[in-house]
Amino acid sequence: AEAVADDPAGCAALTVTGLAELTGTSEATVVRTARLLGYPGYRDLRLALAGLAAQQQSGRAPAITTDIAVDDPIADVVAKLAYDEQQTLADTAAGLDTVQLAAAVTALAGARRTDVYGVGASGLVAQDLTQKLLRIGLMAHAHSDPHLAVTNAVQLRSGDVAIAITHSGTTGDVIEPLRVAFERGATTVAVTGRPDSPVTQYADHVLTTSTARESELRPAAMSSRTGQLLVVDCLFVGVAQRTYDAAAPALSASYEALAHRHRATRRGP
């Protein structure tokens, strides 16, 4: 870490083997260090170091994200964020295990009840999924309160589904209710950016999202949400396909129930 901080340009020019030799460590240590710094691997760290070196040499404004500076025009911010979102979606789609996805869809389509756990930004994604499932007539609940999540998980059994949404895969308030649901015999699903994280040990099915890097003003809570929403939409559409005969009328009924709220109220003269 000291070598990288002292000479980003020099380190960016080194292979993983070269940096290991320079620092008297091993290639595995270099890769682990890159991951501890928030990068998927050494290649990503090298790219970041090259960008930092270029920034230092040019004297340009500090970066807010990987490629957005504090003085960027708003039009450039929009374009860069849009590109980043597209990449997150593409990376998530490319890495999504469709066998695991299909198995999760099958479990959801036949579930007596579905509980979804998430906190913070992941909690918003959990609410999005449950609202979608409710609209097609399925029993679903989103739990962001950790105590309520656990007390509800105790009531689950075989034939039920529990879904944990956590980008890091280490959020205790999400792992605990999933563990309880797993021990009660429910089918469990983890939506996470870390397929080897603690939450996966209690998951029958693991759906991975893009491992986007954090930055000062664009934390993982923002970037990871994009991938999570794609996975949620895939789950919902898959379930709607499997339950179409019941889902279509339920969706129509929900539209009709809310239609009057979307009509403009006509004012008198």
Side-chain angles (χ1 to χ4, degrees), residues 8 36 52 65 74 80 212:
L36 285 171
L52 176 60
T65 72
I74 193 64
K80 291 177 178 180

Side-chain angles (χ1 to χ4, degrees), residues 2-268:
E2 290 175 356
V4 165
D6 291 342
D7 185 14
C11 291
L14 296 175
T15 63
V16 64
T17 303
L19 184 55
E21 292 176 350
L22 175 68
T23 56
T25 59
S26 66
E27 294 180 7
T29 298
V30 172
V31 173
R32 281 197 300 270
T33 301
R35 290 176 177 169
L36 285 171
L37 292 172
Y39 299 93
Y42 179 60
R43 175 181 175 276
D44 300 271
L45 175 59
R46 284 185 72 184
L47 291 173
L49 290 174
L52 176 60
Q55 175 187 311
Q56 291 175 340
Q57 292 172 3
S58 65
R60 68 175 183 262
I64 287 178
T65 72
T66 304
D67 56 1
I68 298 178
V70 294
D71 59 354
D72 273 351
I74 193 64
D76 289 354
V77 172
V78 171
K80 291 177 178 180
L81 286 178
Y83 175 78
D84 190 55
E85 298 284 334
Q86 291 169 5
Q87 287 299 116
T88 297
L89 290 172
D91 291 346
T92 297
L96 193 57
D97 188 329
T98 54
V99 173
Q100 292 284 301
L101 177 64
V105 165
T106 299
L108 280 170
R112 178 187 70 97
R113 163 182 159 184
T114 297
D115 279 14
V116 189
Y117 316 122
V119 296
S122 296
L124 299 177
V125 178
Q127 291 179 31
D128 182 74
L129 175 57
T130 56
Q131 289 178 22
K132 285 179 167 67
L133 295 176
L134 287 169
R135 291 288 292 273
I136 58 174
L138 300 182
M139 186 65 67
H141 306 278
H143 300 293
S144 57
D145 181 294
H147 292 181
L148 189 60
V150 172
T151 55
N152 275 269
V154 171
Q155 307 303 322
L156 298 180
R157 59 177 186 267
S158 177
D160 296 329
V161 173
I163 301 176
I165 303 177
T166 164
H167 177 66
S168 68
T170 60
T171 308
D173 288 342
V174 173
I175 295 174
E176 186 178 6
L178 192 73
R179 175 186 60 78
V180 173
F182 179 81
E183 293 172 350
R184 294 284 169 167
T187 298
T188 53
V189 180
V191 179
T192 179
R194 304 287 189 269
D196 57 350
S197 59
V199 72
T200 61
Q201 66 182 309
Y202 303 114
D204 296 308
H205 309 295
V206 178
L207 305 177
T208 55
T209 57
S210 172
T211 54
R213 296 192 298 271
E214 294 191 25
S215 58
E216 184 179 0
L217 294 187
R218 194 166 194 268
M222 288 178 62
S223 52
S224 65
R225 187 190 60 217
T226 301
Q228 291 173 348
L229 287 171
L230 174 61
V231 173
V232 162
D233 284 347
C234 290
L235 286 170
F236 169 71
V237 172
V239 172
Q241 287 178 315
R242 300 286 183 91
T243 63
Y244 183 78
D245 289 342
L251 196 58
S252 296
S254 68
Y255 279 132
E256 292 174 7
L258 296 173
H260 70 283
R261 295 183 176 275
H262 298 290
R263 298 191 189 103
T265 303
R266 181 175 298 175
R267 295 182 179 179

